[in-house]
Amino acid sequence: MAKNLRIGEVLLESGAITQEQLDEALKAQKADRSKKLGQHLIDLGFVSEETMLIALSEKLGYPVISIETYQVNVDAVAKIPVELAKKYSMIAIDFKDDGNTLVVATNDPLNFYGLEDIRLVTNLHIEINLALKKDISQAIDYYYSQVSSKEAAENINENADDFVINDEDMFNSEDDDTPVVKLLNSLLLRGYNEGASDIHIEPFEDEIFIRMRIDGMLIDMMKLSIKVRDPLTVRAKILAGMDITEKRLPQDGHIIVTINNIKMNLRVSVVPTVHGEKIVMRYLNTNTPIDNGNTFGMDDKDYKKVVEMMNQPNGIIYVTGPTGSGKTTTLYLVMQSLAKRRINIETIEDPVEQQLDRINQVQVNNQAGMTFESGLRALLRQDPDIIMVGETRDAQTASISVRAAITGHLVVSTLHTNDAISTVVRLEDMGIEPYLVANSLVGVIAQRLVRKVCPYCGELVAASPEDQRIAKKKIDYVVKAKGCHMCNNTGYKGRVAVHEIIMFDHHLRKMINDRADNGAMLSYIQQNQDFRTLFDEALELVENKLTTIEELKRIVTTD
């Protein structure tokens, strides 16, 4: 009976479409046979894919699932070749009946040829679940990268003695199918799909650990035979343009690859350890979505303050925070907004993490003599309106930046400080005179990234006395991180930025000139500006049940 079913009849019977709509879709299908009738009905706006799946579910008895929240079995995924999965838009998600039945997600249960093809290839019974086509497509990209890395790791561990170091330096080479090349390629693809910021390849006495930093936490991914340490290290060095014969000194390099049709830039660091060279590869542009991306990752109050700073004709603005707090991402968002104006924007960076339209970006090259200091001096002769200094690392860079700011340029840069007000002391420690600090500073934005509790497993519990002590106020309920397959059992999924922003007015400049201490300046700011600390913004996230009291405590500790 099922093989005689037609999608038009099913939708008509369920009342999802009218006979007139079906006739129009059939007419469209006659004109364009490249698409099935169901897709024509969707394209014409007569029915949504969700409605179509519900109608098929009611008629055929197949459940509708969300692949995003389903605990997919990667071993099941591997049963269907990726080419077939993409061809038929079907993915295996689980086993049943002691492994004799393969659970398959599809958006077209009437594609009998596809289902039969999969049954023959796997030699298993097929149980059908229904899911949205876009979710299936995303799942295919995500889970087959896991399958690929797992198979590459198994192959490399089983055949570690047979590997030959390959010097082919093309990442996307179709001719180079050596296990080491496949492994590194699959790791880069998996890291991208996992939303990782870094991949760590760590050699120890008997094995190599592969870990990925996701939402600020290092997650164990796999273990490799120590026998592949040297071939894997050489492969990474070749891609990053490093000296493969130098094993005693640290080296830095870059890899540019295309992943899912997106050009990716990775910074590579190699450091010798007692068991060999450790490799860290950092994605300089990722596919991780940014909360409040249209407002520089900030809420409306903070955004308005930053816009006011950026409208100043000259001066210096610092974004501060520790490594990995998203400072450069925030600066890039600001620069992209400013680039819409009729102005000349120049940057000096190490490295250039993302190429921006209408912005002239200069890469630091210390070996060639292009340092932050020399590059910044050169940029001042390029008729700039705005200069971005990737990082203020030393007294010379700070001095030139400050002097550029008081001679008619708007300068933006990053600086490592614990909070916003410490920027003043940090600059003075670098040897900048207080009167120069006072005359140049426009504003400071301190930033941290706070992990958001996983929406799938977070638990609402009564706040304990300790929770209230940390929060410094009475809170009835807080959310706790539990851990599930959706968040790699960490309890957290995604991050959001919190800020504290200081705008330097006439009185604050006078206090800097008079060498007032941080406490006095902070008291003035709290009384005269709508000032919120990192703690205040993180506490607001706790009260809105977006993060945990433990994350708040981490901000307090840093504070």
Side-chain angles (χ1 to χ4, degrees):
M1 172 189 166
K3 288 197 175 184
N4 297 322
L5 273 182
R6 301 184 182 210
I7 187 64
E9 295 171 0
V10 172
L11 293 171
L12 196 61
E13 182 183 324
S14 70
I17 60 171
T18 64
Q19 184 63 53
E20 291 76 13
Q21 290 173 330
L22 177 58
D23 292 341
E24 189 174 338
L26 287 167
K27 185 179 178 181
Q29 190 186 29
K30 283 183 181 178
D32 181 5
R33 293 281 183 182
S34 66
K35 292 187 290 188
K36 292 190 174 184
L37 179 62
Q39 191 59 50
H40 279 293
L41 286 164
I42 292 172
D43 292 345
L44 289 166
F46 295 154
V47 68
S48 67
E49 189 181 1
E50 290 89 342
T51 302
M52 189 180 296
L53 290 183
I54 291 170
L56 287 167
S57 174
E58 291 173 350
K59 183 69 176 178
L60 301 172
Y62 301 145
V64 179
I65 64 161
S66 167
I67 294 185
E68 185 185 10
T69 57
Y70 197 97
Q71 190 160 358
V72 174
N73 185 331
V74 179
D75 291 331
V77 174
K79 285 292 182 181
I80 301 177
V82 64
E83 296 79 13
L84 283 187
K86 290 181 176 179
K87 178 180 178 181
Y88 298 124
S89 190
M90 297 179 184
I91 184 171
I93 56 176
D94 210 349
F95 292 111
K96 281 194 175 177
D97 303 327
D98 296 326
N100 295 316
T101 298
L102 192 64
V103 182
V104 174
T106 178
N107 77 320
D108 185 5
L110 303 182
N111 185 352
F112 305 112
Y113 294 109
L115 290 166
E116 181 64 13
D117 204 354
I118 287 173
R119 188 188 68 77
L120 290 172
V121 167
T122 61
N123 198 27
L124 295 169
H125 298 295
I126 302 298
E127 180 177 304
I128 297 172
N129 281 198
L130 304 179
L132 294 174
K133 186 174 183 178
K134 67 176 179 61
D135 291 348
I136 293 171
S137 178
Q138 290 172 356
I140 288 172
D141 287 341
Y142 180 78
Y143 287 108
Y144 276 98
S145 68
Q146 291 190 19
V147 170
S148 175
S149 64
K150 184 177 179 181
E151 288 177 348
E154 289 173 352
N155 185 22
I156 217 164
N157 286 333
E158 290 172 6
N159 304 287
D161 293 328
D162 303 328
F163 293 146
V164 177
I165 295 176
N166 191 300
D167 289 352
E168 172 63 52
D169 62 355
M170 293 297 292
F171 173 84
N172 291 314
S173 171
E174 295 179 0
D175 299 327
D176 197 341
D177 285 333
T178 63
V180 171
V181 171
K182 281 185 174 180
L183 175 66
L184 194 56
N185 292 359
S186 67
L187 286 177
L188 294 175
L189 177 60
R190 182 173 180 182
Y192 174 81
N193 287 332
E194 293 277 4
S197 61
D198 303 82
I199 299 175
H200 290 240
I201 302 174
E202 304 171 319
F204 291 95
E205 186 174 0
D206 300 317
E207 55 194 354
I208 299 170
F209 281 75
I210 306 292
R211 298 195 291 172
M212 295 185 185
R213 188 175 295 281
I214 302 171
D215 293 334
M217 298 182 71
L218 278 174
I219 308 296
D220 291 343
M221 288 294 167
M222 63 181 69
K223 295 177 183 178
L224 302 175
S225 166
I226 193 63
K227 294 178 181 178
V228 300
R229 177 193 62 197
D230 293 340
L232 189 59
T233 303
V234 167
R235 176 63 180 168
K237 283 183 171 182
I238 289 171
L239 287 175
M242 298 179 185
D243 182 357
I244 63 174
T245 63
E246 179 56 72
K247 300 180 181 181
R248 299 166 299 171
L249 297 174
Q251 294 189 67
D252 293 306
H254 289 87
I255 298 176
I256 297 177
V257 295
T258 300
I259 300 175
N260 292 349
N261 297 318
I262 298 172
K263 184 176 281 189
M264 301 293 297
N265 187 3
L266 294 97
R267 183 172 65 201
V268 183
S269 171
V270 174
V271 174
T273 71
V274 291
H275 297 298
E277 293 170 288
K278 176 184 174 178
I279 305 165
V280 176
M281 297 182 285
R282 166 162 288 191
Y283 293 87
L284 298 181
N285 51 328
T286 70
N287 61 341
T288 306
I290 297 173
D291 286 19
N292 307 317
N294 293 330
T295 55
F296 310 150
M298 304 172 182
D299 62 22
D300 288 338
K301 286 183 179 179
D302 290 340
Y303 174 68
K304 288 175 182 175
K305 291 180 183 178
V306 174
V307 169
E308 186 178 339
M309 288 182 198
M310 294 300 166
N311 286 331
Q312 300 300 312
N314 54 66
I316 191 162
I317 299 164
Y318 285 106
V319 181
T320 76
T323 300
S325 58
K327 302 185 298 296
T328 303
T329 300
T330 298
L331 270 189
Y332 275 5
L333 291 172
V334 172
M335 289 298 102
Q336 285 175 310
S337 175
L338 292 173
K340 297 173 185 176
R341 304 178 185 177
R342 294 180 178 179
I343 55 176
N344 176 27
I345 301 178
E346 308 269 356
T347 79
I348 177 80
E349 306 172 61
D350 184 25
V352 174
E353 298 191 7
Q354 184 180 338
Q355 295 182 17
L356 307 175
D357 291 336
R358 298 173 59 85
I359 295 177
N360 305 285
Q361 296 170 273
V362 176
Q363 168 74 51
V364 166
N365 187 339
N366 290 317
Q367 289 182 338
M370 174 64 83
T371 63
F372 270 110
E373 181 184 359
S374 63
L376 189 49
R377 289 185 191 278
L379 292 186
L380 288 172
R381 297 189 288 272
Q382 287 282 310
D383 185 31
D385 295 292
I386 297 175
I387 299 173
M388 172 183 146
V389 181
E391 185 178 343
T392 301
R393 296 180 177 176
D394 51 46
Q396 290 79 11
T397 305
S399 176
I400 300 169
S401 299
V402 166
R403 292 184 186 280
I406 62 177
T407 54
H409 305 92
L410 184 63
V411 180
V412 291
S413 184
T414 64
L415 192 67
H416 290 278
T417 64
N418 285 337
D419 53 21
I421 197 64
S422 298
T423 301
V424 175
V425 175
R426 181 84 177 95
L427 290 171
E428 290 176 354
D429 285 345
M430 285 181 162
I432 309 300
E433 291 294 331
Y435 78 92
L436 286 174
V437 176
N439 289 335
S440 63
L441 271 179
V442 170
V444 177
I445 306 159
Q447 178 170 308
R448 296 289 187 282
L449 291 177
V450 176
R451 290 179 294 166
K452 296 187 291 185
V453 73
C454 175
Y456 303 101
C457 66
E459 293 181 320
L460 197 65
V461 299
S464 68
E466 176 64 10
D467 292 337
Q468 296 188 19
R469 184 193 67 78
I470 294 170
K472 302 178 184 176
K473 65 184 296 186
K474 187 178 187 304
I475 299 178
D476 294 326
Y477 293 94
V478 293
V479 67
K480 292 288 183 182
K482 184 181 178 184
C484 66
H485 72 281
M486 292 297 296
C487 58
N488 289 307
N489 292 309
T490 64
Y492 298 93
K493 193 173 181 65
R495 292 186 289 179
V496 62
V498 294
H499 307 86
E500 63 180 36
I501 298 176
I502 297 175
M503 302 179 72
F504 288 82
D505 56 21
H506 175 74
H507 186 77
L508 205 48
R509 296 180 199 281
K510 187 175 184 306
M511 294 182 77
I512 296 173
N513 248 331
D514 295 340
R515 298 180 183 268
D517 62 38
N518 279 4
M521 288 191 284
L522 199 55
S523 293
Y524 170 79
I525 293 164
Q526 290 171 331
Q527 292 170 18
N528 295 276
Q529 295 186 17
D530 181 18
F531 178 72
R532 294 180 297 167
T533 65
L534 295 166
F535 174 84
D536 295 333
E537 292 206 357
L539 178 59
E540 190 175 314
L541 294 177
V542 170
E543 292 178 307
N544 291 332
K545 312 299 185 289
L546 291 175
T547 193
T548 64
I549 204 77
E550 287 77 19
E551 277 295 281
L552 174 67
K553 186 177 180 181
R554 186 170 67 88
I555 293 295
V556 174
T557 303
T558 304
D559 212 4

